[in-house]
Amino acid sequence: DIQMTQSPSSLSASVGDRVTITCRASQSISSYLNWYQQKPGKAPKLLIYAASSLQSGVPSRFSGSGSGTDFTLTISSLQPEDFATYYCQQSYSTFTFGPGTKVDIK
Amino acid sequence: EVQLVQSGAEVKKPGESLRISCKGSGYSFTSYWISWVRQMPGKGLEWMGRIDPSDSYTNYSPSFQGHVTISADKSISTAYLQWSSLKASDTAMYYCARQAGLNYYYYMDVWGKGTTVTVSS
């Protein structure tokens, strides 16, 4: 099984901050990596697929990069609606989610 | 509008059976796999398994293989997640999600709102 880790597990940030979340796979997964956002009481929402492709309708302040085992999700200027938990997910071998990174207000 | 509509909240006793549903609309149901994802209270997302509604072929996570059954009825565009004997540890929110993409670049682009399952004596 492919294991996914994320760091940090949580972070506090202010509106306007640049935020970076890291995801690491236990083996190379090429670019088979997706990012989701989940707000409390809501279903997850797809943000980024194939490591760096922005899902339709997602603001351009979200971006993804990386390949192999190391990936990042960047929010260029944090907005109030971005406070949420973010999950990475590999699709190289069925699916595995990372443990999540909670972004809250500083 | 493309959507997945899940069945309502369930409260069950340990040992009881249960089947929850996920109905797709607004797209060709047999053209996209459906996955099920568990979220235990206050915890992260766990992929349970998926089904190809066109032929009912399934994949399961090793963590869930043998504990749940995923099925589908393409005639009514509905996927199911089933337990034969519930445990208290099955208490969770369960989401269905549509799998899109090509050539292993798969992702879950449409999600149901979730079904809460509570198992308590």
Side-chain angles (χ1 to χ4, degrees), chain A residues 1 31-32 34 36 38 42-44 46 49-50 87 89 91-92 94-95 97, chain B residues 35 39 43-45 47 50 62 95 99 103-109 111-112:
Chain A
D1 284 10
S31 299
Y32 301 110
N34 309 314
Y36 299 85
Q38 187 180 33
K42 300 293 187 181
L46 177 67
Y49 63 94
Y87 295 93
Q89 177 203 49
S91 65
Y92 180 85
T94 58
F95 294 108
F97 288 96
Chain B
S35 278
Q39 188 165 39
K43 302 299 183 181
L45 305 172
W47 180 74
R50 63 185 177 182
Y95 294 102
Q99 177 185 305
N103 299 325
Y104 294 95
Y105 288 107
Y106 298 126
Y107 47 88
M108 298 171 187
D109 67 337
W111 292 69

Side-chain angles (χ1 to χ4, degrees), chain A residues 83-105:
Chain A
F83 292 96
T85 300
Y86 294 85
Y87 295 93
C88 62
Q89 177 203 49
Q90 66 82 19
S91 65
Y92 180 85
S93 175
T94 58
F95 294 108
T96 312
F97 288 96
T101 295
K102 184 176 181 180
V103 177
D104 61 21
I105 301 171

Side-chain angles (χ1 to χ4, degrees), chain B residues 93-104:
Chain B
M93 176 72 83
Y94 293 89
Y95 294 102
C96 63
R98 187 180 82 162
Q99 177 185 305
L102 291 171
N103 299 325
Y104 294 95

Side-chain angles (χ1 to χ4, degrees), chain B residues 31-112:
Chain B
S31 297
Y32 298 83
W33 290 62
I34 295 289
S35 278
W36 286 94
V37 175
R38 182 176 80 173
Q39 188 165 39
M40 299 178 76
K43 302 299 183 181
L45 305 172
E46 301 173 90
W47 180 74
M48 301 175 71
R50 63 185 177 182
I51 188 164
D52 179 349
S54 68
D55 61 7
S56 290
Y57 181 78
T58 54
N59 294 136
Y60 291 91
S61 162
S63 300
F64 293 93
Q65 178 88 48
H67 296 288
V68 296
T69 301
I70 296 171
S71 60
D73 184 339
K74 63 184 178 182
S75 70
I76 54 171
S77 301
T78 300
Y80 301 98
L81 178 64
Q82 182 174 330
W83 296 260
S84 59
S85 181
L86 286 160
K87 302 175 183 178
S89 57
D90 293 317
T91 294
M93 176 72 83
Y94 293 89
Y95 294 102
C96 63
R98 187 180 82 162
Q99 177 185 305
L102 291 171
N103 299 325
Y104 294 95
Y105 288 107
Y106 298 126
Y107 47 88
M108 298 171 187
D109 67 337
V110 178
W111 292 69

